[in-house]
Amino acid sequence: MQEILEELERRRAAARLGGGEARIAAQHAKGKLTARERLDLLLDEGSFEEFDMFVEHRSHDFGMQDQKIPGDGVVTGWGTINGRVVYVFSKDFTVFGGSLSGAHAQKIVKVQRQARKMGAPLIGLFDAGGARIQEGVDSLAGYADIFLENSLSSGVIPQISVIMGPCAGGDVYSPALTDFIFMVRDTSYMYVTGPDVVRTVTNETVTHEDLGGASVHAAKSGVAEGAFDNDLEALTQVRRLVDFLPSSNREKPPQRESFDDPERAEPSLDTLAPVNANTPYDIKELILKIVDEADFFEISPDWAKNIVCGFARFDGQSVGVVANQPLALAGVLDIDASRKAARFVRFCDAFNIPLLTLVDVPGFMPGTKQEYGGLIKHGAKLLYAYAEATVPKVTLITRKAYGGAYDVMSSKHLRGDINYAWPTAEIAVMGPKGAVEIIFRAEAKDPEALAAREAEYKARFANPFVAAQRGYIDDVIMPHGTRRRIVRALRSLKGKQMANPWKKHDNLPL
Ligand code: HXC
């Protein structure tokens, strides 16, 4: 009997060693942790339950029959994050470079299905060289199986991908189908084809970092929703994010005890929005001053900075915050900002997370670059996302709400539930200067007359009261009382019930 038990221990030890000590040392030398070390940091201590530790590949080509490593390059199972169950897989670069065989894919599919069935988030840690080159079509089939599960789980359970090493070829599309991608700076890169293929096909010479490092995807392409300095920070931040999210679309967002007074007044907000509408201010100051304990998890902080998206809490309840950022491009809506916010709004709506929208927007970005890039379709994504959203929607216009962007940003007309404005709000078709230059073109040569017209237009429209008179704004509120009013608004909306017409699925402008 003792021998049988020892055999189990021996097998377990072999699986835990992955590709062996030399490869583990090489992994550490690159500043990366191993697949198991990462899971230890991601999950609550001692909570990891492993599946399929003894799975091996079934390939007989290229001498693979003599190279079998239990686990086959991915560690899978479940554990808890602050007591809540999550399913995980962690690619083991020390085993065949973490590459994906048919057996490896089946292990991932098993946790994907289990996560969806149980209504728990799925977190994938990537560090791999793509398809197992020795396996061919079994590997391609395995990828497709994973993509299918990702697609079926979209909007059912939160799916999070963390890129912690190479992520190339077939490996990139599973993360792309998930809700959030995070990267580790300097040690991770993501691309469909690597620098060698790029050189062959396009004659371009480019480094791994310049092609697909965190500096590219978290700041330029928007593929990644964030980048962190090392494995430890990335995993700690994923734990923090999970705390904001419900486990599935069947749950309400988590509610936890708040130690921040819901009535807390912030006198400094009375002077936050400068009187001159062209003077910028930091919308994040407003966010941090009104949310519980100044705790804000920002999504894509380095991409499309003209719109700020992230998770916070009011009164202990998770809320998705979307805010135009006057500090970047005056908070204008362009292609990237529209895409970023649309995706965030749709995530919140899919997972029953109420939306707070803070509006200070001069309109959509003009110009050929934007129009050629399809601003019309991309802008429509955000419009669509807000229009279809049925979660509680609270909106506050702090200053500018001009033109189509006023409509888009969770206006009353798109079923905003409670729409507030500060007294500094200006709700109009466009800014006063642009407006009078068009409607009083005949007076264009007389600057004094034009200035008088501008003052007249400003007095008439550059305030929240015309909109308030029509009921498009529910109330004009004092800036210092913003937190109290938002908390009360969200409390009043807790029982909201709203459904859209039946459809197989929508056809949002992609
Ligand atoms: C099998 C692989 C592998 C792979 C790496 N290894 N990638 N084994 N299949 N795809 C093995 C290596 O042989 C090596 O084994 C170990 O992993 C570590 O690899 P190194 O090359 O030594 O590491 P490094 O120098 O850090 O380079 C990492 C790398 C490189 C950039 C990822 O390994 C690489 O370019 N790999 C191939 C990437 C690729 O072309 N994949 C196929 C993509 S096509 P030993 O025994 O020496 O430790 C694809 C199509 C699917 O994915 C499409 C589905 C939709």
Side-chain angles (χ1 to χ4, degrees), residues 9-205:
E9 273 313 325
R10 195 190 57 72
R11 282 176 178 267
R12 281 181 172 171
R16 287 196 190 107
L17 203 55
E21 268 155 18
R23 289 194 183 90
I24 292 175
Q27 181 84 349
H28 287 160
K30 286 180 193 153
K32 301 194 293 183
L33 297 173
T34 65
R36 286 170 191 279
E37 288 166 343
R38 286 167 176 161
L39 289 178
D40 283 346
L41 289 172
L42 176 68
L43 301 171
D44 295 340
E45 204 181 336
S47 72
F48 181 49
E49 294 279 345
E50 188 166 348
F51 292 158
D52 294 337
M53 187 185 222
F54 308 114
V55 162
E56 293 176 348
H57 70 75
R58 296 176 289 267
S59 172
H60 295 278
D61 296 315
F62 303 105
M64 285 301 276
Q65 64 277 13
D66 303 324
Q67 299 180 55
K68 296 210 172 186
I69 297 177
D72 204 33
V74 62
V75 184
T76 61
W78 63 275
T80 58
I81 291 182
N82 290 322
R84 291 163 64 217
V85 171
V86 295
Y87 285 79
V88 290
F89 63 89
S90 180
K91 303 243 176 186
D92 185 349
F93 190 77
T94 70
V95 179
F96 309 120
S99 59
L100 186 129
S101 68
H104 174 128
Q106 280 173 353
K107 285 183 66 172
I108 295 175
V109 167
K110 187 190 271 187
V111 283
Q112 287 182 300
R113 288 190 180 151
Q114 196 83 351
R116 189 168 66 247
K117 192 166 60 184
M118 303 319 297
L122 179 77
I123 302 170
L125 310 182
F126 289 79
D127 185 357
R132 177 92 42 93
I133 293 167
Q134 296 89 337
E135 280 218 8
V137 74
D138 277 343
S139 168
L140 300 185
Y143 272 122
D145 292 342
I146 292 169
F147 302 155
L148 176 67
E149 296 302 325
N150 282 131
S151 308
L152 296 178
S153 292
S154 180
V156 180
I157 50 169
Q159 301 182 86
I160 300 170
S161 306
V162 193
I163 316 302
M164 314 185 86
C167 181
D171 267 334
V172 299
Y173 282 110
S174 173
L177 293 165
T178 63
D179 299 302
F180 301 106
I181 299 178
F182 298 105
M183 296 183 73
V184 180
R185 290 193 185 97
D186 302 326
T187 51
S188 77
Y189 43 89
M190 276 183 100
Y191 37 64
V192 177
T193 51
D196 295 342
V197 178
V198 169
R199 197 176 318 109
T200 312
V201 177
T202 70
N203 250 338
E204 246 180 313
T205 303

Side-chain angles (χ1 to χ4, degrees), residues 442-460:
E443 296 170 33
K445 287 197 187 90
D446 182 350
E448 259 176 45
L450 214 56
R453 293 292 193 189
E454 193 179 327
E456 191 187 331
Y457 188 92
K458 224 173 160 172
R460 176 80 183 96

